[in-house]
Amino acid sequence: MLQSKKRWNVQECDEQLVNEFVENLNITPLVASLLLNRGMTTVEAAREFLHVDAQTFHDPFLLHDMDKAVARIQQAIDHNEKIMIYGDYDADGVSSTSVMLSALQQLGADVDFYIPNRFTEGYGPNKAAFDKISAGGYQLVITVDTGISAVEETAYARELNFDLIITDHHEPGPILPDAYAIIHPKLPGSIYPFKELAGVGVAFKLAHALLGELPEHLLELAVIGTIADLVPLVDENRLIARKGLDYLKLTKRTGIEALLSVCGVKREEINEDTIGFAMAPRINAVGRLQDADPAVHLLMTTNAEEAKDLAKEIDALNKERQQIVNDITEEAVEFVESMYPPDENSVLIVEGEGWNAGVVGIVASRLVEKFYRPTIVLSIDSENRIAKGSARSIEGFDLFANLSKCRDILPHFGGHPMAAGMTLNSDDVEELRRRLNEQASNVLTEQDFIPITSVDTVCTTEEITLENIEQMSALAPFGMHNPKPKVLIKDVHTASMRKIGANKNHLKLVFEDSGVSVDAVGFGLGYILDEVSPIAKVSLVGELSINEWNNMRKPQLMVEDISVDEWQMFDYRSAIDVKRFFEQVFTDQMKVVAFHDSTIDKYKSMLPMEHVVLIQHEEQAKACMFAGEQIVLLDLPPSQKWLEALFFQGIPSRIYAIFLTEEDHYFDTIPTRDHFKWFYGFLAKKGPFDLKRYKEDLAIHKGWSKETIDFMAKVFFELEFVTINNGLISLVKNSAKRDLIESATYRQKQQQIEIEKNFIYTSYVQLKNQFQDIFKRSIE
């Protein structure tokens, strides 16, 4: 067997609906099942999803307070009041700020922006910032991607006598700020049709309302925050993402062009991954290490030289951020393993003195990936006794809900069910750890701590076609709630497998079934080659793609996980270097089974003795519990019955066959009954015969080996046909007639010959079939 790295949660589809979609939408069954698994339960809903370009945006005035906010902003523009956009330092906040600035500048407003410093001010509105804004003569402040938790700060804004309009998408708390207006799709009683907008999506809706028509030119900004903030890419977010990517390919924004250049991305190659893995990390890096202002300046500049310089600066900051993340992650992993091991903690809270608070969210994500526990990573400021951090969760543990139960020790926190940010007194960290672990123990089971891969559908090799893969692209852009489709291919044979890459850590394979073969690549899965036996059937989970090379287009599977459901046989019988096996192949999950003391003595220096099990009789073999285990058969037992007894308790998951032998019984000269008859007659004619003196002469005369003569002599002795005294062998007169099989030595020799024939001198397939037969007999 080979256990998959994650739990495979395979979605099931209503076949009747699949057929209905196929008939009405002119799509393949594979694509129909993908649509159903994304919640499209009617033909009309599926058609809208596929033809997203034909959809329209919701009326922005359906958002609560939109009319009030628009009127106040228009009044500020008409009266030339100074307006401040108050943003956030991540990609969503930066793009939100840029959308709002662009819209207000287009309307001729006197507008500027303010983004707090992550390290000196922290997340969201703060009183010191409001003091500066008020002193600057600003009479209207509009927050973007922040503010819904700023109850005290909003009250302070009233004291400073400026109006505050809050636009946000984070989870509202039990008490809302008393702002001039709040635009938020999740407000209690909201009638807005879609609740899952990103911060930039809310800002885009306000821009739409202000400008009086859909600001399509701002979609190239809106798409950045929408994809970067990992909001569900369905409904209006899907429309923003789809149209936004199209506009991004045609961008005339000097800063975006410069950013794409340092990312090494060509316009025609732009897709959702361009934002998720190239643009957004660089934009985020600025606010993680310093003030986020340069990121806004980059998106807003019209000066090519300035754009080029800013893009280079931001790219350099991203490289610095990557190194910082690697260093802190290394420290955090050591902290977890030494102080709060995952098997004793349902929630991991890791803190470090002076850790960069701007990257702790990334570190938390890495720890979740490694340990699969809800994780909070905190940067400790011991001088001020403050802990600032970020949290990431797993399925089944709502971070926002559980942190809400700890509000008394969390003066500042906010976020979503899967991610959150917070500030607390460093003295309260241990109490937070205790509470969250207690809360988690009430809702999480052992099963919840095994990572999950959601698989869209089971796919046959015949379905892996260029047409199917091309049709799947109609579901893009992919993201939250519309992930890249993952398929499961079950129980197929591998035609070839090999390690590739400079370090041989990747896997290249070809699998086949029903006469169809498909290429596949598994990045980071090179180790799998040593864990899949030659004729095993494998199941693979991954993403389908098209490999274009040398003007040829072929389907391929990008493999993410592999399993083998059947027991496996690994053959190490031929010219095996035992030392190499135990140095390079052996793992702590294996148990080494030996049946002879001499084998262990001979190889003791290289054997992992704590894993060695010596079996010296059949009943001992029968008592062994090897069901589901990985076992190494170091040598062969005296009889095949011992092997049947060995698996009486159940079938192992893997057998590594080495079968070391001291002597080759199968190729020995095997005495026949005629040999024994001649030797008996020889002794009867010659009388007592001195084996010590004349055995070699007799062997030469007959063309036998000396061992053959010793063997026959021992058999005769056991059958009481002869006596042997100090090497002198003599017939016993009038001995009872007995069959050769009554000799233990003769029986053992026959058994050794038989077991060597069946287990050493056989092909791989024959060997596996031998064990298959043994398993059947063991459980009968």
Side-chain angles (χ1 to χ4, degrees), residues 28-57:
T28 64
L30 178 60
V31 176
S33 65
L34 295 175
L35 287 165
L36 283 165
N37 288 338
R38 280 154 175 72
M40 313 300 146
T41 55
T42 66
V43 170
E44 189 54 40
R47 182 177 287 112
E48 287 183 7
F49 190 86
L50 287 172
H51 303 289
V52 62
D53 294 331
Q55 295 178 39
T56 58
F57 285 90

Side-chain angles (χ1 to χ4, degrees), residues 501-522:
N503 298 317
K504 301 298 181 185
N505 56 335
H506 308 306
L507 187 69
K508 172 76 175 177
L509 66 149
V510 177
F511 61 88
E512 58 184 11
D513 192 41
S514 304
V516 179
S517 62
V518 180
D519 293 346
V521 175

Side-chain angles (χ1 to χ4, degrees), residues 17-248:
L17 280 175
V18 168
N19 294 332
E20 188 179 337
F21 279 23
V22 170
E23 292 174 11
N24 288 278
L25 298 171
N26 193 29
I27 57 177
T28 64
L30 178 60
V31 176
S33 65
L34 295 175
L35 287 165
L36 283 165
N37 288 338
R38 280 154 175 72
M40 313 300 146
T41 55
T42 66
V43 170
E44 189 54 40
R47 182 177 287 112
E48 287 183 7
F49 190 86
L50 287 172
H51 303 289
V52 62
D53 294 331
Q55 295 178 39
T56 58
F57 285 90
H58 302 307
D59 182 352
F61 286 96
L62 292 175
L63 283 160
H64 178 75
D65 276 355
M66 182 63 82
D67 52 349
K68 189 176 178 182
V70 169
R72 178 65 185 89
I73 294 169
Q74 193 59 57
Q75 176 189 325
I77 295 171
D78 292 342
H79 291 83
N80 203 32
E81 296 179 46
K82 295 178 72 174
I83 303 173
M84 179 65 76
I85 310 303
Y86 194 105
D88 187 26
Y89 34 65
D90 65 2
D92 191 14
V94 167
S95 56
S96 301
T97 303
S98 301
V99 163
M100 204 78 267
L101 277 171
S102 298
L104 291 177
Q105 287 175 355
Q106 186 176 336
L107 291 169
D110 181 1
V111 61
D112 203 350
F113 74 94
Y114 184 96
I115 295 179
N117 183 289
R118 183 192 294 264
F119 307 100
T120 59
E121 298 174 80
Y123 171 78
N126 65 82
K127 293 179 181 180
F130 279 181
D131 283 334
K132 294 177 189 175
I133 291 168
S134 178
Y138 292 91
Q139 295 155 282
L140 177 62
V141 176
I142 305 168
T143 74
V144 288
D145 190 35
T146 188
I148 196 62
S149 300
V151 176
E152 291 184 18
E153 292 78 7
T154 301
Y156 189 64
R158 285 189 172 277
E159 293 178 20
L160 295 174
N161 205 29
F162 63 76
D163 290 331
L164 181 65
I165 296 173
I166 292 174
T167 76
D168 201 356
H169 74 122
H170 294 94
E171 296 292 329
I175 301 174
L176 296 176
D178 185 18
Y180 182 90
I182 299 178
I183 301 173
H184 194 304
K186 290 185 179 180
L187 287 182
S190 172
I191 62 170
Y192 194 72
F194 184 58
K195 311 295 184 188
E196 302 297 334
L197 289 168
V200 73
V202 180
F204 183 79
K205 301 308 296 186
L206 178 54
H208 184 181
L210 283 167
L211 295 170
E213 60 183 10
L214 185 71
E216 295 203 6
H217 62 293
L218 298 180
L219 283 167
E220 62 184 321
L221 294 172
V223 67
I224 296 173
T226 297
I227 290 176
D229 215 50
L230 302 180
V231 291
L233 287 190
V234 296
D235 200 280
E236 205 163 26
N237 286 340
R238 177 168 166 76
L239 190 54
I240 290 171
R242 184 68 167 262
K243 288 182 174 289
L245 287 171
D246 289 340
Y247 276 96
L248 204 55

Side-chain angles (χ1 to χ4, degrees), residues 319-346:
K319 290 183 172 66
E320 182 183 345
R321 184 271 308 168
Q322 290 171 330
Q323 186 58 53
I324 292 171
V325 168
N326 291 340
D327 293 343
I328 296 178
T329 299
E330 190 176 324
E331 290 182 46
V333 167
E334 185 179 345
F335 183 95
V336 169
E337 292 176 340
S338 61
M339 300 288 292
Y340 298 98
D343 55 353
E344 299 174 12
N345 290 267
S346 300

Side-chain angles (χ1 to χ4, degrees), residues 674-729:
D674 285 341
H675 287 87
F676 281 102
K677 184 177 180 182
W678 184 92
F679 189 44
Y680 189 90
F682 172 79
L683 294 175
K685 187 181 297 184
K686 293 290 183 180
F689 182 74
D690 192 337
L691 287 173
K692 286 184 177 180
R693 291 182 63 186
Y694 302 113
K695 176 171 57 177
E696 186 171 354
D697 294 339
L698 179 62
I700 293 171
H701 173 71
K702 293 295 295 179
W704 294 345
S705 67
K706 291 183 288 184
E707 288 77 17
T708 298
I709 296 172
D710 287 338
F711 174 74
M712 290 190 293
K714 188 174 182 182
V715 169
F716 281 170
F717 179 79
E718 289 179 357
L719 295 175
E720 299 178 341
F721 291 169
V722 298
T723 60
I724 300 176
N725 186 11
N726 199 26
L728 196 66
I729 183 170

Side-chain angles (χ1 to χ4, degrees), residues 715-777:
V715 169
F716 281 170
F717 179 79
E718 289 179 357
L719 295 175
E720 299 178 341
F721 291 169
V722 298
T723 60
I724 300 176
N725 186 11
N726 199 26
L728 196 66
I729 183 170
S730 306
L731 283 179
V732 175
K733 293 181 179 180
N734 302 319
S735 59
K737 190 174 182 179
R738 299 175 68 181
D739 196 282
L740 293 173
I741 200 69
E742 295 181 57
S743 161
T745 297
Y746 186 85
R747 287 198 309 274
Q748 185 178 354
K749 186 74 169 180
Q750 292 296 94
Q751 288 170 353
Q752 286 290 338
I753 292 169
E754 185 68 15
I755 201 168
E756 285 182 12
K757 181 182 77 173
N758 290 340
F759 291 90
I760 295 180
Y761 305 107
T762 55
S763 69
Y764 174 88
V765 173
Q766 291 170 328
L767 178 63
K768 186 165 186 184
N769 288 337
Q770 285 286 348
F771 276 102
Q772 203 69 46
D773 292 341
I774 285 174
F775 295 157
K776 288 179 183 177
R777 290 194 294 273

Side-chain angles (χ1 to χ4, degrees), residues 9 31 139 249 269 319 372 455 480 483 491 567 726:
N9 181 20
V31 176
Q139 295 155 282
K249 292 176 183 178
E269 297 173 349
K319 290 183 172 66
Y372 205 67
V455 179
M480 293 293 288
D491 298 333
W567 76 275
N726 199 26

